[in-house]
Amino acid sequence: MKNPLLLIVSMLVICVAHAQTKDYLQGHGKEVQAVIKSEKGVIRGYDFGVPAETVKKTEDAQFIADGKNFMIFKKEIDKKEYAEIIYYLDDQQKVNGFGIAFIENINLSFEESLIDDFQKYFNERYGKFITNDKNDEVWTSKEGGYYVEMGDSSEGGDLMEIEIEIYKK
């Protein structure tokens, strides 16, 4: 290369650009990493408005069921643990919301750890949450105009259910 200064400046620009790209998934547990999957899009690489057919063709979680306004996939975390990924659809069969549900046998330490890790992830990505009238945590995206709502919807018994809903404002 004829101009070493140009090489140095180019490398510096690349390093600065890379440093400014925040990877919120780093340092989080296997549940957050497996379910969120990608920093691109809202979750799992998908944004609002993506056609249902695109999700069906490209989603790597196991397809479980669909209906007029939804598609459900099962994402295995490990042999004993999984999450349901729900894509809510509008009348044009485009994604207009996302859902995540962990349904597990009650294990209070696991439940607390799971909630804490998702709170930490969403706090890093969206800022501090507020608590709504249902006692759910709610985050507001800075770009994209959507909400993330997380709560424990367990109804007693031997199962706990942690639900995360992502929807437009």
Side-chain angles (χ1 to χ4, degrees):
M1 173 157 260
K2 292 182 180 178
N3 190 343
L5 182 60
L6 181 60
L7 175 65
I8 293 169
V9 170
S10 297
M11 289 175 58
L12 182 63
V13 167
I14 290 169
C15 289
V16 168
H18 180 69
Q20 290 178 343
T21 303
K22 179 88 169 140
D23 183 2
Y24 296 105
L25 288 172
Q26 276 185 332
H28 289 281
K30 62 184 177 182
E31 294 84 7
V32 170
Q33 290 185 22
V35 169
I36 301 298
K37 183 181 167 184
S38 173
E39 291 301 320
K40 294 179 180 170
V42 178
I43 65 166
R44 305 189 60 72
Y46 300 108
D47 280 309
F48 293 102
V50 68
E53 277 306 309
T54 300
V55 175
K56 279 186 178 179
K57 289 178 184 176
T58 59
E59 174 59 79
D60 65 0
Q62 177 188 0
F63 175 77
I64 300 295
D66 62 358
K68 182 180 177 189
N69 294 335
F70 68 91
M71 297 183 303
I72 301 173
F73 293 80
K74 179 179 177 180
K75 179 63 183 169
E76 186 174 291
I77 310 297
D78 59 32
K79 296 290 182 203
K80 298 180 181 179
E81 182 181 7
Y82 73 92
E84 288 183 348
I85 311 294
I86 305 150
Y87 295 90
Y88 299 106
L89 307 172
D90 62 18
D91 292 337
Q92 288 77 45
Q93 294 295 287
K94 293 185 178 184
V95 174
N96 68 356
F98 303 87
I100 302 166
F102 285 90
I103 304 167
E104 303 286 336
N105 288 324
I106 289 185
N107 176 334
L108 294 178
S109 63
F110 170 75
E111 179 179 7
E112 187 174 308
S113 172
L114 180 67
I115 290 171
D116 288 349
D117 199 24
F118 270 101
Q119 282 177 340
K120 180 181 173 197
Y121 171 78
F122 290 133
N123 281 342
E124 289 169 359
R125 187 165 178 188
Y126 302 114
K128 184 76 175 121
F129 65 86
I130 61 166
T131 304
N132 68 12
D133 58 349
K134 298 183 292 184
N135 208 29
D136 293 339
E137 291 91 17
V138 178
W139 293 265
T140 303
S141 70
K142 294 174 182 75
E143 320 87 34
Y146 60 91
Y147 294 108
V148 177
E149 184 176 326
M150 181 174 72
D152 183 344
S153 59
S154 305
E155 295 180 6
D158 293 339
L159 295 176
M160 67 141 199
E161 186 170 355
I162 305 299
E163 290 185 331
I164 300 168
E165 299 288 331
I166 305 170
Y167 53 92
K168 287 187 173 185
K169 293 181 179 182

